Amino acid sequence: MAAAEPTIEVERSWLSTAATVWAWLGYAFLILPTLIVIPLSFNSTTELAFPPRSPSFHQYRQYFSDAGWIDATMLSVWIAILSAGLSLLLGVPAAYGLSRGSFPGKTALSGLLLGPALTPVIVMALGLYIYFAHLGLSGVAMPIVLGHTLIAIPFVIVTTMSGMRHIDRNLEVAGMIMGGSHFYVFRKITLPLLRPSILASGLFAFLISFDEVIIAFFLSKAGNPTLAVKIFASIQWEISSIIAAISTLLTLLSLVICLFVAALLEKK
């Protein structure tokens, strides 16, 4: 019996090592395309050539000096800010109600609010296009904001509800015993404790909106696309090396946001 225990430990060690190696190989396979795009962005020519023939910041200068790309970027930024703000305005109270409330139909309401995360985006994009076209709102930015809010709210709800689980409910009960209303306790006790989760979900909502292409493609104006739609059109109709520079900047933005979110959630 004593001799069998070391054998079992060795087998577990080998299984753990093999699982770790396979995991890192999977990460490398997923990250490799991004690592290839980054060197492409420092090419001095207008062609997508790997490896770069002569390192240069030419593509970045082209991007920042092109009014079309900058306008698309600023439009995406404003849409993402509005979508993130609206997602927080709707998602945080919904997460609080689902976490603390007890009412008939709670499970059905939870499924309805989280449904957009499970629905194919192309289906929602087509439905939103028909709906807003019927209202005469096609070709303006507000439908894109509402569409991005729709797909971002589930992520806000899930992240906020995760934060709610780490809040001691006795603190809220104590506030109510001291005479505070539900709204006062929510504003003075719950929200400050939820701040890291709210910031994290807001950043995720911003990133989701900024990177989304299908809904924006259906709802954006032909001459005024978002950055994601302009990149998609550029890939479809021409091969511009500026795309590599933009992709590198977007990768850096995503990395910074993810690291910041991880730092926020680590402090909880």
Side-chain angles (χ1 to χ4, degrees), residues 151-241:
I151 62 174
I153 281 180
F155 295 92
V156 173
I157 292 176
V158 169
T159 306
T160 306
M161 289 181 68
S162 176
M164 291 290 299
R165 296 189 185 98
H166 293 83
I167 296 178
D168 187 358
R169 195 165 185 174
N170 292 327
L171 297 175
E172 299 172 324
V173 173
M176 294 178 187
I177 292 176
M178 296 299 293
S181 63
H182 284 278
F183 179 72
Y184 182 86
V185 171
F186 174 73
R187 184 167 56 92
K188 291 294 186 178
I189 297 177
T190 308
L191 278 182
L193 295 175
L194 274 178
R195 188 177 293 114
S197 296
I198 293 174
L199 289 175
S201 59
L203 289 172
F204 274 133
F206 177 89
L207 198 59
I208 290 169
S209 173
F210 193 82
D211 191 51
E212 202 282 325
V213 62
I214 300 177
I215 291 176
F217 179 80
F218 272 79
L219 301 179
S220 63
K221 189 177 180 180
N224 193 24
T226 63
L227 181 62
V229 173
K230 189 171 177 62
I231 292 174
F232 177 77
S234 181
I235 294 174
Q236 188 175 15
W237 302 112
E238 59 176 332
I239 302 299
S240 175
S241 55

Side-chain angles (χ1 to χ4, degrees), residues 34-58:
T34 302
L35 298 180
I36 292 177
V37 169
I38 294 175
L40 288 176
S41 67
F42 294 98
N43 205 334
S44 60
T45 65
T46 58
E47 300 177 354
L48 291 174
F50 182 84
R53 297 172 185 173
S54 55
S56 172
F57 288 96
H58 174 70

Side-chain angles (χ1 to χ4, degrees), residues 7-267:
T7 303
I8 295 175
E9 291 296 328
V10 170
E11 291 179 354
R12 289 177 178 175
S13 177
W14 275 105
L15 288 174
S16 177
T17 302
T20 302
V21 170
W22 276 109
W24 279 108
L25 288 175
Y27 291 145
F29 176 78
L30 294 174
I31 295 174
L32 187 60
T34 302
L35 298 180
I36 292 177
V37 169
I38 294 175
L40 288 176
S41 67
F42 294 98
N43 205 334
S44 60
T45 65
T46 58
E47 300 177 354
L48 291 174
F50 182 84
R53 297 172 185 173
S54 55
S56 172
F57 288 96
H58 174 70
Q59 308 307 330
Y60 293 92
R61 289 193 294 266
Q62 288 287 103
Y63 165 66
F64 286 108
S65 62
D66 191 313
W69 285 108
I70 296 300
D71 290 344
T73 302
M74 295 308 300
L75 178 62
S76 293
V77 169
W78 281 113
I79 289 176
I81 291 174
L82 293 174
S83 300
L86 192 56
S87 300
L88 291 176
L89 186 63
L90 299 174
V92 173
Y96 179 79
L98 293 174
S99 297
R100 295 292 189 257
S102 179
F103 51 88
K106 178 180 175 180
T107 303
L109 179 61
S110 177
L112 180 64
L113 292 174
L114 300 179
L118 305 175
T119 305
V121 180
I122 186 67
V123 175
M124 289 193 295
L126 180 59
L128 290 170
Y129 172 77
I130 296 173
Y131 177 72
F132 287 118
H134 180 72
L135 295 178
L137 295 176
S138 59
V140 296
M142 187 51 63
I144 305 177
V145 172
L146 297 177
H148 287 180
T149 300
L150 182 65
I151 62 174
I153 281 180
F155 295 92
V156 173
I157 292 176
V158 169
T159 306
T160 306
M161 289 181 68
S162 176
M164 291 290 299
R165 296 189 185 98
H166 293 83
I167 296 178
D168 187 358
R169 195 165 185 174
N170 292 327
L171 297 175
E172 299 172 324
V173 173
M176 294 178 187
I177 292 176
M178 296 299 293
S181 63
H182 284 278
F183 179 72
Y184 182 86
V185 171
F186 174 73
R187 184 167 56 92
K188 291 294 186 178
I189 297 177
T190 308
L191 278 182
L193 295 175
L194 274 178
R195 188 177 293 114
S197 296
I198 293 174
L199 289 175
S201 59
L203 289 172
F204 274 133
F206 177 89
L207 198 59
I208 290 169
S209 173
F210 193 82
D211 191 51
E212 202 282 325
V213 62
I214 300 177
I215 291 176
F217 179 80
F218 272 79
L219 301 179
S220 63
K221 189 177 180 180
N224 193 24
T226 63
L227 181 62
V229 173
K230 189 171 177 62
I231 292 174
F232 177 77
S234 181
I235 294 174
Q236 188 175 15
W237 302 112
E238 59 176 332
I239 302 299
S240 175
S241 55
I242 298 178
I243 298 175
I246 299 173
S247 300
T248 301
L249 293 175
L250 292 178
T251 301
L252 180 61
L253 174 65
S254 301
L255 178 62
V256 170
I257 289 179
C258 290
L259 291 176
F260 187 64
V261 167
L264 285 175
L265 297 179
E266 186 70 22
K267 294 180 180 180

